[in-house]
Each structure stands twice: as C-alpha cells, then as structure tokens.
Amino acid sequence: MDIAGTSALVTGGASGIGAACARALASRGATVVVADLNPEKGEELAAEIGGAFARVDVTNTDELKAAVEQADALAPLRVLVNSAGIGWAQRTIGRDGSFDSAHDFGAYRKVIEINLLGTFDAIRLAATVMSRHEPTASGERGSIVNMASVAAFDGQIGQAAYSSSKGGVVGMTLPVARDLSVAGIRVNTIAPGLIDTPIYGEGEASEQFKANLGQNVLFPKRLGDPAELASMAVEVATNSYMNAEVIRVDGGIRMPAK
Ligand code: NAI
C-alpha cells in the first residue's frame, strides 16, 4: 500500500518507538499526526517531519476522536500506529500477608486502560474513518500496527499488569483483523524486545542498566534501536499481504522469570 499523500496517526508518537515510526512514515510521504500527552516533544517532532501534533490521552475517547478527525482533514487517514504505553513492575502479592501489600489494583487498572483499552479505542475510531474512504490502488482502505511486547508471551516476575495489557493486544489482533477485513483494513501487532528508548529513564545509571540488559539478548547483544522497530512497522503497514500477524522484533531474546 502506497502511503504517500495519505495521513497517519501515531499514538505515543512523541518518544521512543512511536517517534521513530512517525519519522519513518513521514519519510515515505505520509503526513503524520503525533498523538501524545507530551506537547514539548510532540510539537518539536511534528515540526521536524512536517506533520501535526495532537494532545491526546489515549484513555480519553473525545481526544482520540478529535485526533483521528484532525489527521483525516490533512489527508485521507490510512495508517494508525498504536505506540502509547506505560510499564509497571510489582508482584501480585506482598511479603507480609496483608491485603495492603498486594498489587496496587489502581495501577493494574491504569496499565490496562492505557495499553489495552487505549489501543482498542484508537483502532475502532481510526478504522471507522478509514472505512469511509475509497480503496487505494491495491484495494485497501488502511492498515493498523500495534506495539505489544515480548512480555505478552514471556512475562517476568512483577509484570502481571503489563503482560496482561500486551497479551490483550496480541489476543485482539486476529479478531479485529477479521472484523476489519470487510473494509479492506489490515491489522498487525509487533512485539518488541528490549528497545533503547526513554522508557528505561535517562542518564548514566540507566545507560549502565541498559548495557547489562543487552547481555541477555541472543544476538546481537545489545538493545534494539527504535529505528529497527520503525522499519518493521512501516513494512507491515505497507506490505499488502501482511495481515492478522504478531511479529517479535527482539534479537531472539526469551525473557527469563527475572
Ligand atoms: P516511551 O516512553 O519512549 O514512549 C511512550 C510514549 O507514550 C511517550 O511519549 C508518552 O508520553 C506516551 N504516552 C504514555 N501514556 C500515554 C497516554 N495515556 N496517552 C497518550 N500518550 C501516552 O516508550 P517506548 O519504549 O517508545 O514504548 C512504545 C511502546 O512500545 C509502548 O507501548 C511500550 O509498552 C512498547 N514496548 C517498548 C519496549 C522497550 O523496550 N522500549 C519493549 C516492548 C514494548
């Protein structure tokens, strides 16, 4: 699917993998709307790539709807990348046998709201708008790419909330692709391994932490570059025969229990 002259919406587009996807989609001729909570980084990136910024909290349907409409007003919306996401690390129970030390249930709910419900809300709204357009020369109306995580499959100790949210994204990939097939919209999910983004913090301590993490990767023994994820996102967005698939991009890592 040729995306030149179309628009693309990237949630979480102000940072890390989302920002790399926004740059890569723009380099293929799409006008990108960077939909994110962070206006400083979002505005700066939008200016760099000739796109637009939309201040969006993916847990807010009205803000998502406005961003989808903003993108579609710039050019026909053909691509959605769902990259907004947060992490959380806490064991399911505490050590002292008290209810109070059990996993923070509000935190569990928040991770699900952003990573899982936010993804599905963006999909149903963007796909609705995509479904209104005439198909492209390749017979498609659009393409959706979600960022899950290898934690959907190899969740570590403390990753109950995060793995649940990403497992939900993996689980919706096939049924949503089936739902949207009538409209000519493809849906794929990428499961990144350990990728070098601000999600691990910034500064000397986090650089050391990341260097140690990289030793667990099969090959190459380093963290992934966001551009390597963006390359896969653009491939699945534009390759007309990619549909309903979940693809690990992880250097072969299989996460241990901890
Ligand atoms: P990041 O922290 O660099 O970027 C995430 C972006 O999402 C930020 O710009 C943040 O402002 C935005 N965001 C957070 N909550 C939001 C909300 N409620 N509404 C709108 N925007 C919101 O993170 P990174 O590493 O680029 O992660 C992108 C996606 O990839 C996430 O879904 C993450 O779970 C996933 N992922 C990342 C991995 C990694 O190693 N970096 C590994 C596996 C998955």
Side-chain angles (χ1 to χ4, degrees):
M1 182 174 76
D2 183 6
I3 60 170
T6 70
S7 74
L9 184 71
V10 182
T11 75
S15 176
I17 296 169
C21 289
R23 287 193 176 93
L25 291 164
S27 75
R28 297 284 287 262
T31 302
V32 179
V33 171
V34 176
D36 202 291
L37 285 175
N38 187 323
E40 291 81 28
K41 286 167 84 176
E43 297 274 13
E44 191 181 325
L45 178 61
E48 174 197 319
I49 63 177
F53 172 70
R55 197 273 171 200
V56 170
D57 181 337
V58 294
T59 65
N60 184 315
T61 295
D62 291 338
E63 290 176 12
L64 271 175
K65 209 181 275 179
V68 164
E69 281 171 344
Q70 181 181 344
D72 202 52
L74 295 170
L77 179 65
R78 298 284 191 196
V79 175
L80 166 68
V81 177
N82 279 306
S83 192
I86 60 165
W88 185 263
Q90 188 177 2
R91 293 181 188 227
T92 301
I93 60 170
R95 293 180 190 280
D96 63 4
S98 76
F99 289 134
D100 286 346
S101 67
H103 195 294
D104 180 335
F105 199 49
Y108 185 94
R109 203 183 292 273
K110 184 175 179 195
V111 172
I112 297 291
E113 275 174 359
I114 294 174
N115 296 3
L116 179 57
L117 306 190
T119 294
F120 186 68
D121 205 9
I123 290 175
R124 73 187 186 100
L125 298 170
T128 297
V129 167
M130 289 174 188
S131 74
R132 296 175 188 156
H133 296 309
E134 289 300 312
T136 62
S138 53
E140 297 165 79
R141 287 193 174 80
S143 178
I144 294 167
V145 185
N146 305 311
M147 289 302 156
S149 166
V150 295
F153 311 103
D154 325 331
Q156 296 185 286
I157 285 175
Q159 284 196 310
Y162 188 67
S163 293
S164 302
S165 70
K166 297 302 190 178
V169 174
V170 167
M172 79 169 74
T173 304
L174 177 60
V176 175
R178 286 176 165 166
D179 287 347
L180 300 185
S181 62
V182 287
I185 301 167
R186 293 177 295 103
V187 183
N188 292 284
T189 294
I190 295 172
L194 304 169
I195 314 304
D196 191 355
T197 74
I199 215 169
Y200 296 109
E202 276 155 313
E204 204 175 307
S206 68
E207 289 307 318
Q208 189 55 50
F209 176 69
K210 289 189 288 188
N212 291 341
L213 275 183
Q215 292 310 305
N216 300 322
V217 182
L218 187 61
F219 180 80
K221 290 207 174 298
R222 60 170 174 81
L223 270 60
D225 189 306
E228 291 167 328
L229 273 290
S231 164
M232 182 60 80
V234 170
E235 179 60 24
V236 299
T238 56
N239 187 322
S240 304
Y241 211 57
M242 275 304 302
N243 197 8
E245 190 53 282
V246 179
I247 305 159
R248 293 177 72 125
V249 180
D250 64 0
I253 199 169
R254 298 295 178 267
M255 303 299 287
K258 60 178 175 182

